[in-house]
Structure formats: C-alpha cells, structure tokens
Amino acid sequence: MDDNSLHENRFVRDEDERPKVPYNKFSSEIPVISLKGIDDVEESSGGIKSRRAEICEKIIKACEDWGIFQVVDHGVDTKMLSEMTRLAREFFEMPAEEKLRFDMTGGKKGGFIVSSHLQGEAVQDWREIVTYFSYPIKARDYSRWPDKPKEWRAVTEKYSEDLMGLGCKLLEVLSEAMGLEKEALKDACVDMDQKVVLNSYPKCPQPDLTLGLKRHTDPGTITLLLQDQVGGLQATRDGGKTWITVEPIEGAFVVNLGDHGHYLSNGRFKNADHQAVVNSNTSRLSIATFQNPAPNAIVYPLIVNEGEKSIMEEAITFMDMYKKKMSTDLELARLKKLAKAKQQDLEKAKPIESILAKRLADFSLCHPVSVCSCQILLVEINLAIVCRNIVAYNPDFEKRILEAAANSNGTYILEMDDNSLHENRFVRDEDERPKVPYNKFSSEIPVISLKGIDDVEESSGGIKSRRAEICEKIIACEDWGIFQVVDHGVDTKMLSEMTRLAREFFEMSAEEKLRFDMTGGKKGGFIVSSHLQGEAVQDWREIVTYFSYPIKARDYSRWPDKPKEWRAVTEKYSEDLMGLGCKLLEMLSEAMGLEKEALKDACVDMDQKVVLNSYPKCPQP
C-alpha cells in the first residue's frame, strides 16, 4: 500500500493512539523466564526451594507487575517453531486469490481477513491475519483451515497440541501461586478453547500514523505469542502513558495474561495491555495462540482473600463477558469519535465566542422559527455557534445564551444556515437523499374507512360483511406494509388537542424542553435527531417520546409537565390508540386465518411508545 491507500483505507489513527516508541527500541523490562526444571518439585536437603518454586515466584512477580513475560526452555521443539513460521510466511506470500479462498468476512469462523474479524471497527489495523480454531477437537472445521501450503494441517495440528500442553502447564503454576489446587484454573475453563491467529504486518510507508494491532487486552485466560526477530510488540502498565517494545528472543514465547485470568485472580494478576506497531523497512510475523475458557464457563474470582472485595459484581459466563467487552470497546471508540468531532467544532467556535460574549447583553435574536434546539444559535451579527459543543467545555457560556433567550420573550431561535447543516453532520450520502419532493403526493397508499368494522353479518344475498370487506383492503399490507385509516373511532377533538399540545411543546424555550433531555440512556423525554446511539448522520428533527403501556411501567418523571394539560390528554390519547391498534391486529389475525386474538397474544403484554416529531424547515432539504 502507498500513502494514498493508507488514508483512503482508514488506517490512520488519532494522534493520541499513534506509536510513541520505535519498533526496534527494545526494553529488557519484560522478564525472560526459563522453564527448565519446571517439573522439579523436590526441595534440596538444605531447604533450598525447588526449581518449580523458583519459577513460580518469577511468574507471579511478572503477572503482578506486567501481566506479561517471556518463556524459554519451554519444551516445544524448535524445529516445530521454524516449520510453523515457514508455513505462515508461505501462506501470506501466496496470491490474493489463493488467500481469499478462505475469506472469513460475513461471520465465518476461521480463515483469512485483512485488519480484523471484529465488526464495527472505525479504524483498521495494518495487518493480514489467518486464524483457525483448534480446541476442542470436536469443534474443528477443517474447511476453514488453509489447504496450502500442503503441510499446513499436519504441522498446525501438532503445534496446537504442543501449545495446549504448554498453556496448561503455565496455568498449573498460576493456580499454585494463588494457593489453589494446580488444576483450578484449567478446571475453571471447563472445556478449554484454543484459537490460533497468524499475523502478517506488511511494511508501511508511514508507520508513525498507524498501528499493526490497536491497543487492547486479550479476553481469554492466557495467550502464547511466537514472534520473529523484527520487533513491534509493545506493552504499557500505566494506562498508555509510556510504552516499551518487547525484545524478540529466538525461540521464546511471549505469555500475556488475559481478562479471564485477571478476573479469576481477583485482579491480583494484571491483564496485559499491549499493541503492535509496524515499520517501513520490513514486514513482521507473529503467531498468537489464545487459550480461552469454554463459552459457558463461569467468570468469577476463584479466591477472595480476607479483607478484600470481589472485583466483579456478579458471576457471568465467558460468552457474556466477551460480548460485553467487545460492545464496550466499540462504544468507547464511538464516543471518542464524537468527542473528537465536538472538539473540532469547539475550535471553530473559539474565535467568535469572545465576540458573542461582548454582544450578549444587547443583541436581539432573529425572527421566531422553531428549529433544532441547542444546536445552532444565529445572532444578529450573522455568526453561528454550536451551542451543544460549547456547553461540554464552558457551562457558563450556555448560561449566558439561555439568559439571552429568556430575555427575548421566550422565543429561542436556533436557525441553521448552510454551514451549520454540514458542520452538524446532517448531510446524507447521495444515495440516501430524497428523490421525490415532499409535496408531490401519491394516491397509491390505500385509504380505508373502518366504518362498520364490527359488522360481521353477511347480507341475505350472500354479500360479504363490511368487516370482511375491510379485512380484504387491509390485506393490502402485502403490497406496501402501509395504509391509512379513516372513520377509526378516535375523537377528532382529541386529535386536534394532541396536535396542539405537541406544537406548544416544541415552541417552548430550549431550557424548558431540556428539562426532559433524554441523552445518556434515559427512558423517555426530549432529544434532537434520535435516541439511538452510534448514528453517524443525524436526522433533521426534534422528538419528545413517552412510554405509555404497560401502565405499571409508566415513568411520569420522563413525561413533560408543560403544557399543563399534557398528562391528561396524552393518557387518553394513548388509551384510544391502544384500542385502535388492538382492533387492527384482530383484522390482521383473521386475514392470516387465525383466531382474532392471535397477534395480540403473541405480543404477550403489549408495550406502547408514543413519539412526537417536529421537523423544522431546512435551508437545504
């Protein structure tokens, strides 16, 4: 890849994520431990500790300090390591079409992919990987294992077997270090999984802008990493403030403790915080073997010493722990991206904040139009400012703006110009933009009168009942999934009153509406654009929403208390709409040849959520 592809393919990391230490500036801080004599448990006649006890002490210290160490004299045949490395290199050197025969995109379990098998990653890693699942043996899917080079299966099976043995031996030592039976950690894994990931980090034209593998901790119990002599594995133990590059040692395995091991030790052993960097001189190869618990294994500290508390609130399965970790990592990445966008908006706003501050006492707000609240304030000096972004950093400025709004007869005008449309991320991709004008109406959607919906009697001439006629028309859902109903029985005065209340709410001042702000996961209230997290492009709307059924779940603290008739009217409206909704479900049930209560019963205890939308006029619709 050249410089252009580096940018186009989204490999560029934020500045705070970029490498801080060169790939080949090696550190000796990570312990290198010889496992020679690990099975020697006998003390000498002079009371000198056994070799196993000495090794155990070194591993304990490494796990408490770093959660990472290297082992030599581990018993895995060096010829096997050389052969495994050779096969890995030959695989990655194959033509793209050969590697892509084992493409693992689309959720396939095992195979080849660029960057990562995780979905939703905002920035890609500078690597190719091939992975296969080797334990439990009964779960192996050889169709996902490469068949080239030709010795692949025989060598990788033997390598996986040897690494399973070494991993279990290390778990025994860690169990003993915790004062438990030596099988304790292995037993906690139930039926141990093993996944092997071969990483190829190609040389990179601008290695200072990207990472081969982003900063992370492994979710499993322990990881055994075989790496070549290039260098690039880095570790931190102070939250990423300082990094060291782990020195490559011929024939050694780097051992990382994972999240599962961290939890089982009640936090005594660190989960290794690490990343991989790349360089512009040569490619790098590593082979990671993940020793993980079974998906249904229970994750909880095996021992909690007197005077300590468990670092986990409750026991969960490893699968649930893994899903939570992945979703949390993606959410943090999303929030970071949003924070970055806000910071950029803030930087744009800085030059005009001082001007606005001086003019706040005497400026008048523009003509009254209800527009997306607390997003853009357009003042008479023809300057726009992103209020919400400033609020995050300068609450006092928000106060001054709200005071100015209050001084303008309660009309909070937040009219957006063309620039604000773009800056506030409302612009859709071309294929998502409107293709038909808002006022070019169509008559294709059926309009169905529900008058006589309860009339089930056929006429004397065998003419269908009115209910049957309505039912046939509603089956038009097959064509569109949408239709309109009139003569539905809901009082027209109620509809007018509900509409009036909605308009009055959206015309209220920003500070009034924001008393019911539903950001941060609150259930019900007011928000701009959408209550859904992670939306890349915002909707041009304000909404207020409340949950009305089941009645026992109503939280009136999240229902607006203004206009004053809100609760009484919305409760009645919700009741009438629940009745109409159930009546329509009866018709659909009958259309499916079922008992009329079938669809309603399938809903168990039906929920109801009401969303009131205000779509302000837009300069570039």
Side-chain angles (χ1 to χ4, degrees), residues 28-90:
S28 59
E29 286 192 57
I30 300 301
V32 180
I33 303 171
S34 169
L35 299 187
K36 192 172 183 178
I38 193 171
D39 296 319
D40 175 12
V41 296
E42 296 297 322
E43 290 187 5
S44 70
S45 56
I48 298 173
K49 291 177 181 175
S50 68
R51 176 61 186 151
R52 185 180 181 88
E54 290 177 2
I55 294 171
C56 186
E57 282 188 359
K58 290 179 181 178
I59 290 177
I60 290 170
K61 188 172 189 316
C63 288
E64 290 177 341
D65 291 347
W66 282 97
I68 184 172
F69 56 97
Q70 297 197 68
V71 293
V72 294
D73 303 318
H74 41 64
V76 181
D77 187 3
T78 55
K79 290 182 181 178
M80 167 64 66
L81 305 186
S82 299
E83 191 67 357
M84 190 70 185
T85 303
R86 177 185 67 80
L87 290 178
R89 289 194 192 284
E90 288 184 13

Side-chain angles (χ1 to χ4, degrees), residues 275-476:
Q275 65 183 22
V277 299
V278 293
N279 70 85
S280 58
N281 299 318
T282 184
S283 62
R284 173 174 172 259
L285 184 79
S286 71
I287 303 172
T289 304
F290 298 91
Q291 305 286 137
N292 298 330
N296 62 341
I298 299 300
V299 183
Y300 198 75
L302 293 179
I303 185 169
V304 179
N305 294 323
E306 190 173 345
E308 294 180 351
K309 289 184 177 179
S310 170
I311 62 172
M312 298 184 68
E313 293 181 0
E314 59 180 355
I316 58 175
T317 66
F318 177 70
M319 178 56 73
D320 288 339
M321 187 207 87
Y322 179 80
K323 287 179 179 177
K324 185 176 180 181
K325 174 186 176 71
M326 293 300 107
S327 62
T328 299
D329 287 351
L330 291 175
E331 177 64 7
L332 287 174
R334 187 190 71 82
L335 292 175
K336 183 177 180 182
K337 184 178 179 181
L338 289 176
K340 182 181 177 182
K342 287 185 177 182
Q343 182 63 42
Q344 290 171 344
D345 286 337
L346 178 63
E347 293 300 319
K348 293 175 186 175
K350 277 182 179 177
I352 64 172
E353 183 183 349
S354 58
I355 299 172
L356 285 174
K358 292 175 183 176
R359 297 292 302 275
L360 273 170
D362 58 4
F363 79 78
S364 61
L365 296 171
C366 296
H367 54 281
V369 179
S370 174
V371 186
C372 291
S373 305
C374 214
Q375 287 292 320
I376 294 293
L377 180 64
L378 185 66
V379 300
E380 66 174 57
I381 53 180
N382 201 28
L383 291 173
I385 187 164
V386 186
C387 298
R388 178 163 288 165
N389 295 337
I390 288 177
V391 169
Y393 301 92
N394 191 342
D396 184 56
F397 192 59
E398 177 201 27
K399 181 181 176 183
R400 298 202 303 276
I401 287 176
L402 293 180
E403 285 174 352
N407 292 333
S408 62
N409 300 321
T411 304
Y412 195 62
I413 172 60
L414 300 163
E415 186 166 0
M416 298 185 178
D417 59 14
D418 291 357
N419 290 334
S420 65
L421 177 68
H422 289 272
E423 289 167 7
N424 285 275
R425 298 179 294 110
F426 292 97
V427 178
R428 293 275 165 191
D429 290 339
E430 197 160 345
D431 63 321
E432 294 181 316
R433 295 176 191 171
K435 296 172 178 61
V436 181
Y438 77 99
N439 56 357
K440 185 180 179 181
F441 303 125
S442 167
S443 59
E444 285 192 55
I445 301 300
V447 179
I448 303 172
S449 169
L450 299 187
K451 192 172 183 179
I453 193 171
D454 297 318
D455 175 12
V456 296
E457 296 296 323
E458 290 186 5
S459 71
S460 57
I463 299 173
K464 291 176 182 175
S465 69
R466 176 61 185 152
R467 185 179 181 91
E469 289 177 0
I470 294 171
C471 187
E472 281 188 358
K473 291 179 180 179
I474 288 179
I475 293 175

Side-chain angles (χ1 to χ4, degrees), residues 117 131-135 193-197 288-292 322:
H117 61 286
T131 183
Y132 63 92
F133 294 80
S134 41
Y135 281 87
D193 277 16
Q194 186 191 73
K195 180 176 75 168
V196 182
V197 178
T289 304
F290 298 91
Q291 305 286 137
N292 298 330
Y322 179 80

